[in-house]
Amino acid sequence: MIVTKKGIRENMKKTLSFLLAGVLAFSSLFSMNVQAASDTVQTMADTLIQNYGVTSLQYALIDNGEIITSGTSGVYSKSENRLLTKDNMYTIGSTSKMFVTASIMKLVDEGKIDLDKPVKDYVPEFRMKDSRYRKITVRMLLNHSSGLMGSTYLNGFLFDDNDTQAHDSFLKDLREQELKADPGAYSVYSNDSFTLAEIVIEKVSGVSFTEYIRKNITEPLGLTHTKTPLDDFDRSLVAKTYYPTTPMQTNGVDNANIIGTGGIYSTAEELCKFAQIYMKNNSLLSAESKKATFQKEYLRGQWLADEPNIINFGLGWDSVNLDPFASYGIQAGVKGGDTLLMHSSLIVLPEYNMAAAVTSSGGSSLYDQILAAQLLMDRLYEKGIIKGAETLPMPSQPVQKALDGDLKKYEGYYANFGGIYRVDLSDDGLLTYKNAYLEGSEQAAAMIYVGDGQFVDPTGNLAMYFMEQNGNTYLNVNGASELPGIGRVHEHSYFAQKVEFSELSDSVAKAWAARENKGYLSILNKYTSQTVATVLPVTSVALKGNYLSCYRVIDANTAVPEIEIPMSGSRDVGIISFYKEDGVEYMKLNDNLFISEDAIKEVHRDSFSVRINDKGYNQYYYAGPEYEGKNISITVPENAGYVVYDSTGTAVLNSVNSKPESFSLGAGCYILFMGDAGARFK
């Protein structure tokens, strides 16, 4: 029976958004006040705890091999009377990529890897549908220009579970994928590139990545609290995490099992000690390899102007040309990392043998980076290396001008990996853009034309402009926003790419019309999955012209990503394909599989059982309004679990983190059952 799913219809049908987009993110620019040694950083840290959703954080600074500053803020746990210390550990997310980079460069020093040789020379099992994969070099993995589609790590983020599935199935998953760009054409943030680089390390060295970094990095540097999920260590050292939807429910231990991409645990102090590997006073890497990691790799392909910016990739680094350091002629390598629950940032000043790191539970790598930069700027001031702070100029109110030139040609639809937008230009000088799926609403952002092709928001903080490059038209952003009590954040990046609509044939249009606004639910999640722990894992189908968000429809069952955006605008994409099996429609994207909402079953009034089928597919049940306030108890088999969502799709109960004997149902709620094939719930 088909259930009326009001929550899906009202809350999740308007845009195609896939799980984990934006996870393992990168850095930004900012301005700050520089002063001598003070309580500035501690005050900022406390502000993050009080106002920015951070549960706990650590910070540290190293100068010529000595930890100069170290501190904490927040609580280890909301329920345990236990002191937060410098030895508590955090998942550092994408900052793990710098361990991959260091490992690759060490193997380069040993003559075992050539950065410009194809990956297939080192990993013979590496194959893809797209023959261009043969041109992918090791360098392209480290500078994000490989052309790999996105983030292939289904079940990579788990609670209390170090299952290696995401790593072990990775090469098999890639065999079914194509590339989104010519290798080396441009750099766009790529998690999969570093999972593949991790496998290169394992193939060349003959040992696991965990063992390699233990023998070659953590033990030589004396890092006793830097581990991977596959290491044996005291898990109670890992700081506790919480979701905003269940703020008092302590989660299980954070496991990011795509280790090289984002799964290493560490502390702020030990990240600073690790950073010495990139400094002049450490010999674990050759001077040539250290220098190579800080080269402007971003300029090898399509890019914006060469200027200090939020993303200017080196080898591994998010940026090797970053303000406020660049304004003083100081090179900084910065790497940020975000899992679903934990965050970190590491900034290294190689010329001065100096680094700062921040790790946190809750918040973001951006917040962590601002603190790390403040630590370094204060230290540079104390030592007399800089005399004061270069700050971003405060904006002035824009004066509107009438549109000039041929700017009207830029009206139309623009897409990035997060959505599709309608851009309109009025003759009197207003640019408005909105989510294309909400064109009939009043929702719109208005920018004021000030001349010279620039459109500025009413506050004067943010500018947008159009650019034609490599045969594409882009809408770019350049501006700042204020984080009260923390800093002023600046970014300059590609925002979205113009797309042109075309007519679909009658048969193709009919096939997609049958899916319009229909929900598709993820069905391959492990019961320990973090990705199902906050919202119902559902996406929906809604075409705009012949586009499904940034995906162009090419036939009745397939849509392909049709954007080429450097930096981050075209990250985390794939090919969408639909097929039917036993009368039920499925949607596949990379390593994930979704089932039509038509397959959702109803909760039964008295008693019923749920069996996970032989393929291990998750099962979804819906409780209508008549179940409001009814109690339900669930007997959970071994290696299984469930999540309960309210009518809006927000998770309210996860059996992995909470094991109630019974609970009360809400009207229109959903229950997701997960477990090994054959598992039966009662």
Side-chain angles (χ1 to χ4, degrees):
M1 143 174 218
I2 297 178
V3 180
T4 301
K5 290 159 281 290
K6 184 178 179 182
I8 294 177
R9 300 285 188 191
E10 291 188 351
N11 294 280
M12 302 171 195
K13 73 180 183 178
K14 292 296 183 183
T15 183
L16 184 73
S17 58
F18 294 100
L19 301 175
L20 301 179
V23 172
L24 307 162
F26 31 78
S27 58
S28 188
L29 306 178
F30 41 86
S31 64
M32 58 189 62
N33 296 315
V34 177
Q35 58 191 63
S38 66
D39 294 330
T40 303
V41 170
Q42 186 65 50
T43 300
M44 291 169 64
D46 294 343
T47 299
L48 288 176
I49 299 296
Q50 295 161 10
N51 302 326
Y52 287 87
V54 179
T55 302
S56 68
L57 65 80
Q58 299 169 330
Y59 58 84
L61 179 141
I62 195 169
D63 188 349
N64 282 300
E66 182 182 355
I67 297 293
I68 300 298
T69 305
S70 180
T72 64
S73 187
V75 296
Y76 162 82
S77 165
K78 293 182 179 181
S79 59
E80 299 177 48
N81 185 18
R82 178 171 171 173
L83 186 67
L84 179 71
T85 75
K86 66 181 182 63
D87 292 327
N88 286 123
M89 299 162 67
Y90 294 79
T91 315
I92 62 172
S94 277
T95 306
S96 304
K97 290 178 171 68
M98 296 316 302
F99 286 77
V100 171
T101 300
S103 301
I104 291 285
M105 299 313 294
K106 185 164 182 58
L107 291 167
V108 168
D109 283 343
E110 295 169 358
K112 297 177 180 178
I113 287 179
D114 182 329
L115 288 178
D116 296 310
K117 279 193 173 181
V119 172
K120 66 180 181 61
D121 287 2
Y122 303 104
V123 187
E125 305 95 319
F126 172 45
R127 298 192 301 276
M128 299 183 71
K129 279 186 174 181
D130 192 323
S131 62
R132 292 177 293 173
Y133 84 92
R134 297 184 180 91
K135 298 179 181 178
I136 299 174
T137 65
V138 177
R139 181 187 300 276
M140 292 172 188
L141 300 182
L142 300 188
N143 69 20
H144 299 275
S145 68
S146 67
L148 293 175
M149 282 285 186
S151 295
T152 305
Y153 46 58
L154 177 70
N155 293 322
F157 294 86
L158 305 174
F159 290 122
D160 287 317
D161 187 348
N162 63 357
D163 188 343
T164 59
Q165 172 197 330
H167 169 279
D168 298 345
S169 63
F170 182 70
L171 291 178
K172 180 182 177 183
D173 291 330
L174 286 186
R175 289 174 194 167
E176 300 301 314
Q177 294 187 24
E178 299 183 20
L179 295 176
K180 63 185 173 190
D182 289 336
Y186 58 87
S187 294
V188 57
Y189 201 81
S190 173
N191 287 313
D192 282 356
S193 292
F194 281 79
T195 301
L196 187 51
E198 175 185 347
I199 293 173
V200 169
I201 294 163
E202 293 176 329
K203 291 293 183 181
V204 172
S205 69
V207 298
S208 71
F209 180 63
T210 294
E211 185 176 348
Y212 185 86
I213 62 172
R214 183 191 306 127
K215 289 182 176 179
N216 294 278
I217 297 177
T218 60
E219 287 182 355
L221 292 174
L223 309 183
T224 59
H225 289 70
T226 300
K227 305 290 184 182
T228 84
L230 298 181
D231 279 317
D232 183 16
F233 67 96
D234 181 2
R235 258 62 176 177
S236 72
L237 287 171
V238 180
K240 301 302 182 183
T241 63
Y242 301 85
Y243 281 114
T245 52
T246 50
M248 298 309 297
Q249 175 62 61
T250 303
N251 295 316
V253 175
D254 187 35
N255 277 253
N257 296 315
I258 26 106
I259 299 172
T261 290
I264 292 175
Y265 302 100
S266 192
T267 69
E269 285 194 9
E270 291 207 348
L271 275 179
C272 287
K273 293 175 181 177
F274 160 73
Q276 294 177 105
I277 206 169
Y278 294 104
M279 297 179 189
K280 293 187 299 183
N281 63 351
N282 186 276
S283 60
L284 277 177
L285 291 181
S286 69
E288 292 77 16
S289 282
K290 293 174 194 176
K291 183 179 179 181
T293 68
F294 289 95
Q295 294 302 303
K296 294 181 176 181
E297 292 286 326
Y298 56 97
L299 295 179
R300 290 178 179 270
Q302 179 184 340
W303 206 254
L304 295 176
D306 184 16
E307 61 183 4
N309 206 355
I310 56 172
I311 311 171
N312 277 326
F313 296 121
L315 294 180
W317 302 109
D318 292 333
S319 181
V320 293
N321 185 13
L322 181 75
D323 269 338
F325 307 100
S327 62
Y328 295 94
I330 298 172
Q331 184 170 44
V334 58
K335 187 73 197 81
D338 300 87
T339 68
L340 298 178
L341 298 161
M342 290 189 166
H343 316 275
S344 71
S345 182
L346 173 65
I347 305 177
V348 181
L349 310 183
E351 179 184 357
Y352 295 99
N353 292 322
M354 197 182 296
V358 179
T359 55
S360 65
S361 168
S364 75
S365 62
L366 171 59
Y367 303 158
D368 293 350
Q369 183 188 326
I370 293 174
L371 259 67
Q374 183 74 58
L375 279 164
L376 288 166
M377 293 296 283
D378 283 355
R379 184 63 177 170
L380 291 168
Y381 179 83
E382 289 172 14
K383 297 182 74 171
I385 297 171
I386 63 173
K387 301 301 181 184
E390 292 284 341
T391 59
L392 296 173
M394 294 305 293
S396 58
Q397 190 168 355
V399 177
Q400 186 171 335
K401 296 183 177 181
L403 218 58
D404 55 26
D406 59 352
L407 289 171
K408 286 284 282 186
K409 71 180 182 179
Y410 293 121
E411 282 189 319
Y413 291 91
Y414 289 74
N416 58 29
F417 85 106
I420 189 166
Y421 310 89
R422 171 72 195 187
V423 175
D424 291 292
L425 299 169
S426 67
D427 291 335
D428 62 350
L430 285 181
L431 179 155
T432 58
Y433 68 97
K434 61 171 63 178
N435 183 331
Y437 295 113
L438 301 175
E439 283 192 82
S441 72
E442 295 301 315
Q443 173 263 350
M447 310 288 286
I448 298 167
Y449 187 58
V450 296
D452 197 27
Q454 301 288 313
F455 297 83
V456 180
D457 79 339
T459 69
N461 280 298
L462 180 69
M464 302 186 86
Y465 66 95
F466 300 98
M467 181 180 73
E468 296 180 29
Q469 190 179 52
N470 287 2
N472 295 319
T473 298
Y474 298 97
L475 178 60
N476 296 343
V477 295
N478 188 5
S481 59
E482 191 75 31
L483 297 174
I486 304 300
R488 194 155 168 257
V489 183
H490 180 266
E491 68 168 311
H492 183 194
S493 62
Y494 298 85
F495 173 64
Q497 177 184 329
K498 192 174 187 184
V499 295
E500 301 291 344
F501 291 167
S502 60
E503 291 291 327
L504 297 173
S505 69
D506 289 345
S507 60
V508 172
K510 182 178 179 181
W512 284 90
R515 303 178 182 118
E516 189 74 11
N517 292 330
K518 182 176 286 189
Y520 290 80
L521 301 113
S522 178
I523 59 171
L524 294 180
N525 305 290
K526 192 171 183 182
Y527 63 95
T528 51
S529 171
Q530 293 182 18
T531 63
V532 301
T534 52
V535 295
L536 192 67
V538 61
T539 188
S540 63
V541 173
L543 289 193
K544 203 67 187 176
N546 60 318
Y547 276 81
L548 176 63
S549 189
C550 68
Y551 299 83
R552 180 173 60 87
V553 172
I554 62 171
D555 62 36
N557 296 306
T558 313
V560 300
E562 195 73 2
I563 50 175
E564 299 174 335
I565 310 177
M567 295 186 170
S568 63
S570 58
R571 63 176 291 181
D572 297 326
V573 294
I575 294 177
I576 298 171
S577 59
F578 291 86
Y579 67 91
K580 283 191 174 181
E581 191 174 278
D582 298 327
V584 177
E585 188 168 57
Y586 295 85
M587 181 181 81
K588 183 170 177 56
L589 174 67
N590 294 339
D591 57 340
N592 210 341
L593 188 64
F594 300 78
I595 194 170
S596 167
E597 64 179 34
D598 297 343
I600 294 179
K601 303 177 181 68
E602 279 190 318
V603 167
H604 296 282
R605 282 193 174 276
D606 298 318
S607 64
F608 64 103
S609 65
V610 176
R611 180 183 180 276
I612 303 299
N613 68 20
D614 293 340
K615 294 183 178 180
Y617 292 170
N618 304 157
Q619 301 289 313
Y620 290 86
Y621 278 73
Y622 173 79
E626 67 272 24
Y627 290 98
E628 173 75 38
K630 301 292 184 183
N631 286 331
I632 183 172
S633 61
I634 301 175
T635 302
V636 182
E638 206 170 332
N639 298 325
Y642 62 88
V643 181
V644 181
Y645 306 89
D646 65 18
S647 61
T648 69
T650 301
V652 293
L653 176 63
N654 186 335
S655 69
V656 170
N657 295 325
S658 175
K659 298 176 173 58
E661 293 184 2
S662 65
F663 59 91
S664 179
L665 290 172
C669 73
Y670 304 85
I671 308 176
L672 164 60
F673 295 94
M674 302 163 287
D676 291 349
R680 188 180 295 275
F681 299 80
K682 296 181 181 179

